[in-house]
């Protein structure tokens, strides 16, 4: 009935799989859990993930070469044998012990094809070195159900998504997008383009893996580079993200060079603030906009 698909890269996915396996077994339904590592280095995480194979109807596999996030997901879809697919990121964990049952209740009582349960972050503040990721997640990703329902395409992620396999076959992940960043957005926009409703429910999973603020900032560099590539190749339009809409306004008034200069002049100060004990999302937004303007000056 349900294929749980978990793409991973150098992460111990065993605790997540163990919890999902327990809930799926208790629900007394046909299921499978497939975890696929995209050719990460062999280490203790690999050893832990190999133990997934000891659980019934579960398997862990590794790609021989790194194929990228989109292709890794598409490969998992091809392996899925059931009509429903639950996509979860490897660093998620169900908030409720009724996590699986909550999804089952939805698909048994409605005729929709896509359900997003939402995500949350722990209420306890992490150590200073990881605050930026936590602050961003609490503000920009942990969205109340009412707001998600009012804007279903704007606040949906692939990290906790139940979807019919037929939809995934018809609308696969874009394999041209190899680098990190905005691949979720491209997929969601594809659903929106074809008027496929996304039903938001209160069935959150916790996002557990908090990178250090420095790594999180560096990953945003990569994601914005990828966003620029996606725009250049007309995969999305400038109006599809708040950042690119703001950039378009700046560009319209001929202020891109000035914004890039201001970014270069203040980057070290903004970085210091974002790595502090009180990171500001306002500063973070200015940082991202300035970095994106700089990319367009090269």
């Amino acid at each position: 009935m349900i294929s749980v698909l978990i793409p991973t890269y150098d992460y111990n996915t065993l605790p997540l799989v163990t919890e999902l396996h327990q809930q799926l077994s208790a629900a007394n339904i046909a299921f499978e859990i497939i975890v696929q590592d995209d050719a990460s280095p062999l280490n203790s995480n690999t050893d832990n993930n190999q133990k997934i194979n000891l659980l019934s109807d579960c398997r862990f596999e590794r790609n021989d070469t790194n194929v990228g996030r989109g292709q890794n997901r598409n490969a998992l879809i091809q392996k899925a044998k059931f009509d429903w697919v639950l996509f979860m990121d490897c660093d998620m964990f169900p908030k409720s012990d009724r996590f699986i049952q909550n999804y089952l209740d939805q698909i048994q009582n409605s005729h929709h094809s896509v359900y997003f349960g939402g995500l949350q972050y722990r209420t306890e503040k992490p150590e200073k070195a990881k605050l930026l990721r936590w602050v961003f997640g609490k503000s920009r990703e942990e969205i109340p159900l009412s707001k998600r329902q009012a804007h279903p395409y704007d606040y949906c992620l692939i990290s906790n998504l139940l979807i019919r396999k037929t939809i995934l076959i018809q609308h696969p992940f874009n394999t041209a997008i190899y680098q990190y960043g905005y691949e979720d957005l491209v997929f969601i926009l594809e659903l929106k383009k074809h008027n496929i409703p996304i039903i938001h429910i209160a069935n959150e999973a916790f996002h557990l893996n908090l990178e250090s603020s420095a790594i999180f900032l560096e990953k945003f560099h990569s994601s914005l580079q990828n966003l620029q590539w996606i725009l250049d190749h007309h995969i999305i339009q400038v109006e599809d993200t708040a950042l690119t809409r703001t950039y378009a306004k700046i560009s319209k008034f001929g202020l891109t060079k000035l914004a890039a200069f201001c970014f270069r002049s203040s980057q070290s100060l903004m970085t210091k603030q974002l790595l502090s004990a009180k990171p500001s999302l306002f500063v973070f937004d200015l940082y991202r906009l300035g970095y994106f303007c700089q990319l367009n000056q090269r």
Side-chain angles (χ1 to χ4, degrees), residues 144-160:
L145 178 61
S146 58
K147 189 173 182 179
R148 290 196 279 122
Q149 290 174 329
H151 306 278
Y153 297 103
D154 294 338
Y155 299 112
C156 182
L157 299 170
I158 312 301
S159 50
N160 177 18

Side-chain angles (χ1 to χ4, degrees), residues 38 67-75 77 87 158 167-191 193-194 226-227 229-237 240:
D38 198 14
V67 298
R69 295 160 70 91
Q71 185 55 47
N72 198 31
R73 286 191 174 111
N74 287 339
I77 293 165
F87 258 118
I158 312 301
I167 300 296
L168 292 167
I169 296 297
Q170 295 166 3
H171 307 283
F173 290 92
N174 191 318
T175 56
I177 305 173
Y178 181 81
Q179 301 299 329
Y180 168 81
Y182 291 92
E183 63 276 359
D184 281 18
L185 172 67
V186 171
F187 177 76
I188 297 303
L189 288 175
E190 179 73 7
L191 299 185
K193 176 182 176 182
H194 290 87
N226 206 35
L227 175 60
W229 186 92
I230 292 169
L231 281 170
D232 289 345
H233 288 78
H234 309 291
I235 297 173
I236 68 172
Q237 305 302 314
D240 287 331

Side-chain angles (χ1 to χ4, degrees), residues 249-264:
K249 292 177 182 177
I250 290 175
S251 181
K252 180 180 178 180
F253 291 104
L255 299 175
T256 307
K257 290 184 178 180
L258 177 60
F261 172 79
C262 292
F263 171 76
R264 288 191 297 271

Side-chain angles (χ1 to χ4, degrees), residues 33-283:
I33 303 176
I34 310 173
V35 179
Q36 186 158 288
D37 183 282
D38 198 14
S40 69
L42 295 171
N43 54 30
S44 60
N45 284 329
T46 309
D47 295 338
N48 285 319
N49 287 332
Q50 290 289 357
K51 297 174 185 177
I52 291 170
N53 294 310
L54 301 177
L55 298 172
S56 60
D57 301 303
C58 299
R59 66 183 192 266
F60 170 71
E61 300 179 356
R62 296 184 78 256
N63 297 333
D64 293 330
T65 58
N66 186 277
V67 298
R69 295 160 70 91
Q71 185 55 47
N72 198 31
R73 286 191 174 111
N74 287 339
L76 279 165
I77 293 165
Q78 293 298 324
K79 294 177 181 180
K81 63 182 181 182
F82 293 116
D83 294 335
W84 284 97
V85 165
L86 174 58
F87 258 118
M88 293 198 73
D89 281 356
C90 59
D91 55 359
M92 304 293 286
F93 198 85
K95 177 183 177 182
S96 168
D97 57 8
R98 283 185 51 84
F99 179 77
I100 292 297
Q101 190 59 52
N102 289 339
Y103 273 134
L104 291 176
D105 291 344
Q106 291 293 321
I107 63 179
Q108 289 167 358
N109 296 310
S110 75
H111 302 287
H112 293 288
S113 298
V114 187
Y115 298 89
F116 177 58
L119 72 158
Q120 287 189 5
Y121 287 75
R122 301 292 191 187
T123 56
E124 303 83 5
K125 280 189 176 183
E127 59 190 284
K128 174 187 171 183
K130 297 181 178 181
L131 269 175
L132 178 59
R133 181 68 184 93
W134 181 80
V135 169
F136 179 86
K138 292 288 284 185
S139 176
R140 303 290 173 81
E141 295 176 339
E142 186 179 306
I143 307 299
L145 178 61
S146 58
K147 189 173 182 179
R148 290 196 279 122
Q149 290 174 329
H151 306 278
Y153 297 103
D154 294 338
Y155 299 112
C156 182
L157 299 170
I158 312 301
S159 50
N160 177 18
L161 191 75
L162 183 67
I163 182 169
R164 288 189 186 273
K165 183 181 176 181
T166 52
I167 300 296
L168 292 167
I169 296 297
Q170 295 166 3
H171 307 283
F173 290 92
N174 191 318
T175 56
I177 305 173
Y178 181 81
Q179 301 299 329
Y180 168 81
Y182 291 92
E183 63 276 359
D184 281 18
L185 172 67
V186 171
F187 177 76
I188 297 303
L189 288 175
E190 179 73 7
L191 299 185
K192 182 178 181 180
K193 176 182 176 182
H194 290 87
N195 297 311
I196 299 172
I198 300 174
I199 306 304
H200 286 253
I201 65 172
N203 197 30
E204 294 83 3
F206 285 115
H207 183 272
L208 300 180
N209 185 32
L210 296 177
E211 309 105 333
S212 72
S213 299
I215 291 176
F216 182 60
L217 204 56
E218 187 60 37
K219 286 179 71 173
F220 253 101
H221 290 177
S222 300
S223 71
L224 292 177
Q225 292 166 20
N226 206 35
L227 175 60
Q228 182 63 59
W229 186 92
I230 292 169
L231 281 170
D232 289 345
H233 288 78
H234 309 291
I235 297 173
I236 68 172
Q237 305 302 314
V238 70
E239 63 268 15
D240 287 331
T241 78
L243 175 65
T244 50
R245 288 195 298 270
T246 303
Y247 169 77
K249 292 177 182 177
I250 290 175
S251 181
K252 180 180 178 180
F253 291 104
L255 299 175
T256 307
K257 290 184 178 180
L258 177 60
F261 172 79
C262 292
F263 171 76
R264 288 191 297 271
S265 301
S266 60
Q267 183 178 7
S268 60
L269 286 175
M270 286 193 290
T271 300
K272 184 178 180 180
Q273 199 289 320
L274 293 172
L275 300 183
S276 73
K278 293 184 178 181
S280 164
L281 291 184
F282 175 72
V283 173

